[in-house]
Amino acid sequence: MTATTSDIEKAAAVLRAGGLVAFPTETVYGLGANAEDPAAVARVFQVKGRPPSHPLIVHIGGAEHLGDWVEDVPETARLLAERFWPGPLTLVLRRGRRVPLEATGGLETLAVRVPDHPVALALLSAFGGGVAAPSANRFGSVSPTTADHVRAELGDAVDFVLDGGSCEVGVESTIVDATGDTPSVLRPGGVTREDLEAVLGRPLAVHSTSRVRVPGQHPSHYAPRARVVLVEPEKVVAEAELAQELGHRVGVLLPPAFADAQVKAHAVVAVPASTAAYARRLYGFLRELDQRGCDLIVASLPVEEGLGLAIANRLNRAAGPRPSE
Ligand code: TXA
Ligand code: MG
């Protein structure tokens, strides 16, 4: 099931030939192309249905290569790379000249990370270059955390799929803008804000868009087919049962404190009490509820600490703009 050495070599050859390879990382599966090949990168956007202005993350094989990909490595970035790579942290820095603007969506900055997965690291080592890769899903939908998710969603549009089992972290990397003097979090993810702050020795601003919902400007993202409705934890059961009575096929993400509740809904998933386990399984739950034919998912936000911040961000984004906001 897990990719063999010959799979890795084949995947590296596909990248060299300008093809697309889906590969496992510790966060989610990526849809990779040679970062220095503008035509291959363009195909990533086409396969995903992603607007060309939406930049990609370049994956590299080790922190020691960072200087080859960005214009300069500020002290803060060096510190974070040393401490968290390989791992679920993406650094935004000034773009080095070898990176085509196609990969950065026209930006003069580059998002770059070293993934912590043996298959991804073996691929990067066999390939030798940088791999530009967004999550291997259609634009706006739930990220894949198994090779089967990738095959189900992208099928033949990908030239080769490396199977590395289920992703350990389950939500995407934390993106930190490290271009200026004051780093900030652009997307919460697998490295917690608390861990970043402990290393930096100061508080970090979080500039994610999770709370900003200008109607029409922030379409839903990380979203299942079913509509996601977020309510307070103690209202999940009543809200779900009401919607079910009104004729919806309701899926419920039942908060840990209500794990024993009997809910009259179409599909009920008990959310794990540990946020690490919840993060690992979140996208799988959303896919499962879609598969079971739910048209509405009722959920609540976890406490926004540790990995709970990333989970809350994804659920907020999945729920999309609300008419009242
Ligand atoms: O865990 C992850 O980060 C996964 C795995 C495959 O590495 N990748 C991932 O890629 O989540 P994607 O394309 O789905 O999300 C990348 C995010 C986008 O929200 C994009 O806007 C942001 O990174 N990004 C990329 N380049 C950027 C830049 N130069 N400045 C600010 N944000 C950037
Ligand atoms: Mg994505």
Side-chain angles (χ1 to χ4, degrees):
M1 176 196 164
T2 294
T4 62
T5 310
S6 84
D7 291 333
I8 305 264
E9 275 159 18
K10 181 166 178 211
V14 169
L15 290 176
R16 270 182 226 112
L20 304 189
V21 172
F23 63 99
T25 79
E26 78 283 32
T27 58
V28 301
Y29 275 70
L31 176 62
N34 177 358
E36 293 171 269
D37 179 342
V41 168
R43 245 189 89 207
V44 170
F45 284 90
Q46 186 208 330
V47 164
K48 271 192 71 102
R50 174 162 169 153
S53 60
H54 209 91
L56 307 182
I57 294 172
V58 171
H59 297 70
I60 60 174
E64 67 276 15
H65 303 302
L66 179 59
D68 302 341
W69 293 90
V70 297
E71 196 58 37
D72 63 340
V73 182
E75 182 54 23
T76 305
R78 200 191 50 75
L79 191 68
L80 293 176
E82 228 165 56
R83 170 61 185 79
F84 293 107
W85 284 355
L89 174 72
T90 294
L91 294 173
V92 172
L93 293 163
R94 285 170 60 213
R95 174 179 72 97
R97 240 157 262 166
R98 74 193 279 184
V99 182
L101 284 167
E102 280 81 358
T104 67
L107 296 176
E108 287 303 335
T109 53
L110 172 71
V112 57
R113 86 177 186 101
V114 179
D116 186 15
H117 192 292
V119 172
L121 290 171
L123 174 66
L124 289 164
S125 159
F127 174 57
V131 174
S135 51
N137 52 278
R138 306 253 177 223
F139 184 63
S141 81
V142 178
S143 302
T145 51
T146 68
D148 281 342
H149 294 164
V150 177
R151 291 188 198 103
E153 189 154 340
L154 299 180
D156 292 343
V158 191
D159 299 308
F160 198 67
V161 179
L162 282 173
D163 193 334
S166 299
C167 301
E168 269 294 306
V169 176
V171 291
E172 296 82 352
S173 60
T174 304
I175 303 179
V176 170
D177 180 348
T179 50
D181 294 337
T182 319
S184 63
V185 175
L186 301 179
R187 177 179 71 181
V191 170
T192 66
R193 173 192 192 158
E194 293 85 344
D195 283 348
L196 289 165
E197 289 178 341
V199 167
L200 293 173
R202 58 176 148 157
L204 260 184
V206 178
H207 292 307
S208 84
T209 53
S210 71
R211 298 281 170 200
V212 184
R213 300 171 201 250
V214 182
Q217 284 194 2
H218 293 284
S220 59
H221 215 79
Y222 309 102
R225 277 196 307 276
R227 189 156 67 84
V228 175
V229 170
L230 299 174
V231 297
E232 296 303 318
E234 59 278 10
K235 292 186 180 152
V236 166
V237 171
E239 181 79 20
E241 291 189 335
L242 179 64
Q244 183 77 24
E245 264 168 42
L246 290 173
H248 284 289
R249 289 160 69 92
V250 177
V252 187
L253 290 177
L254 197 59
F258 301 87
D260 296 331
Q262 295 298 310
V263 192
K264 290 185 216 81
H266 183 69
V268 181
V269 168
V271 165
S274 122
T275 48
Y278 190 11
R280 193 176 307 132
R281 300 181 63 188
L282 173 67
Y283 292 145
F285 289 155
L286 296 176
R287 280 176 190 270
E288 178 191 331
L289 294 175
D290 266 349
Q291 245 158 29
R292 291 171 70 179
C294 299
D295 61 62
L296 188 76
I297 294 173
V298 180
S300 68
L301 298 180
V303 177
E304 297 186 12
E305 287 166 4
L307 285 171
L309 183 64
I311 297 169
N313 171 268
R314 302 307 187 271
L315 286 171
N316 261 315
R317 297 288 306 272
R322 282 184 288 219
S324 58
E325 288 180 271

